Amino acid sequence: MSGWVVAAVALGIAVIAAALAALAVARARRLGRRLQGTERRLEGVETTHRQVLEHFRGLSAGAVSQGEHLARLEQNLARLRRRLDQVAASGGTDGNRFNQAIRMARKGTAAKEIADTCQISQVEADLVVLLHGPSQGGGAGESPSGSPEPGGASAEG
């Protein structure tokens, strides 16, 4: 009988081992499925990360381009201000008209009225208002740089 007992114990151990192996295989399959799901989610996150990075690079390049464009516009505006001040300071009939136009613009006068009063073109009046209007911060009697107005601060005439 002792052979039967040993055989029964061996069979019991084999059944238990088979059951544990089956549980281990089932658990490994579940972990494999979870791992696959996690890998898919990770791939999705990586794809989203690449897309966000591409968008960021595009926005960054656009911002740099806009900054460069703005710097060029500011340089052109400064050049136009200097040129207008030169014309106004040059004296003569044109200089007096532009001095008067600048004073009117600083007081908030509309470009149309400046063009009519000073006998300058509408484009010139628009430019004077753009460069010397109240929104540019130039007070009466001063250029935007804070220096005295070219040609003095005489009354309009």
Side-chain angles (χ1 to χ4, degrees), residues 46-60:
E46 288 172 344
T47 300
T48 302
H49 178 261
R50 280 192 301 275
Q51 290 171 344
V52 167
L53 189 58
E54 288 174 23
H55 287 300
F56 177 75
R57 286 180 181 149
L59 290 172
S60 180

Side-chain angles (χ1 to χ4, degrees), residues 65-78:
S65 176
Q66 289 297 323
E68 291 169 352
H69 182 70
L70 183 59
R72 284 191 304 274
L73 288 175
E74 288 173 346
Q75 289 172 347
N76 287 339
L77 183 60

